[in-house]
Amino acid sequence: MPRRYLALWFPFLPTDRLRREGRVPTSGVPADAPLVVYAHRGNALRLVAGDDRALALGLARDLTLADARARIPGLIAIEAEPEADEALLMRLAAFCDRFTPLVALDRPQGLLLDITGCAHLFGGEGALLATIGRWMQRGGLALRSAVAGTPEAAHALTRFGRGGIVPPGQDEAWLRPLPVAALELPPKPRLP
């Protein structure tokens, strides 16, 4: 039996968590106001995460909070709480134990499940993805998922591809169109 891995990626984990906890202000704020999370980086406040509306408006990671507010005056900005995000990810990993005993954290904001020999218990890989997707949607979490023959392929397809179920033996064909960034190589060391 070929190995099968399921990657779960929560692209908006920090902002989804804040909404789940009721921490996003609603009074005096437009209903469609984008939400960002910021942290102290160097000598500036910089964006570390944003919701889908913020991304659609061009607000990207590492942009200064001042620049983001200049672009979008109605922006909702909340300071990052990495410990709370990590705690939520740990709870999600514990929840996923019901699908397989082999669940690992895939930081940042993801999980890897070894579903080899387990998917048939839930009606197959497609049904397993649908079941997990429904649970996460009910919990207010955006999710992208992929099943592949290696954990690295599943990881890359969730973050840089369209996700989905790669047929056994087709990992390379599905990975080939991905951008070079999907390799997630460490930065080149700088010469002195």
Side-chain angles (χ1 to χ4, degrees), residues 123-188:
E125 292 174 347
L128 177 58
L129 263 62
T131 299
I132 293 173
R134 281 191 303 276
W135 278 101
M136 297 307 164
Q137 185 178 26
R138 284 183 203 141
L141 297 168
L143 173 68
R144 190 177 304 163
S145 59
V147 175
T150 66
E152 297 83 5
H155 169 97
L157 289 165
T158 60
R159 287 162 172 82
F160 298 93
R162 64 182 188 266
I165 301 172
V166 179
Q170 296 294 312
D171 286 7
E172 183 180 341
W174 280 53
L175 293 171
R176 187 163 286 152
L178 297 183
V180 173
L183 295 173
E184 296 184 328
L185 298 173
K188 281 183 174 181

Side-chain angles (χ1 to χ4, degrees), residues 6-102:
L6 168 59
L8 303 175
W9 181 46
F10 305 94
F12 307 114
L13 184 77
T15 56
D16 286 349
R17 178 187 58 76
L18 290 166
R19 282 199 170 87
R20 285 169 44 111
E21 294 173 354
R23 305 255 319 278
V24 179
T26 55
S27 62
V29 178
D32 63 344
L35 171 64
V36 295
V37 176
Y38 67 90
H40 296 270
R41 298 280 190 256
N43 59 355
L45 298 176
R46 295 196 176 272
L47 304 187
V48 295
D51 65 7
D52 56 344
R53 289 178 291 243
L55 294 180
L57 292 169
L59 300 180
R61 187 178 180 90
D62 290 328
L63 182 69
T64 65
L65 181 59
D67 286 342
R69 284 193 167 138
R71 292 180 190 184
I72 307 183
L75 179 71
I76 301 169
I78 298 175
E79 190 166 2
E81 298 172 331
E83 299 84 15
D85 295 337
E86 179 76 5
L88 175 56
L89 194 59
M90 296 293 286
R91 288 193 307 274
L92 292 169
F95 171 81
C96 287
D97 278 346
R98 70 191 67 221
F99 305 112
T100 176
L102 302 171

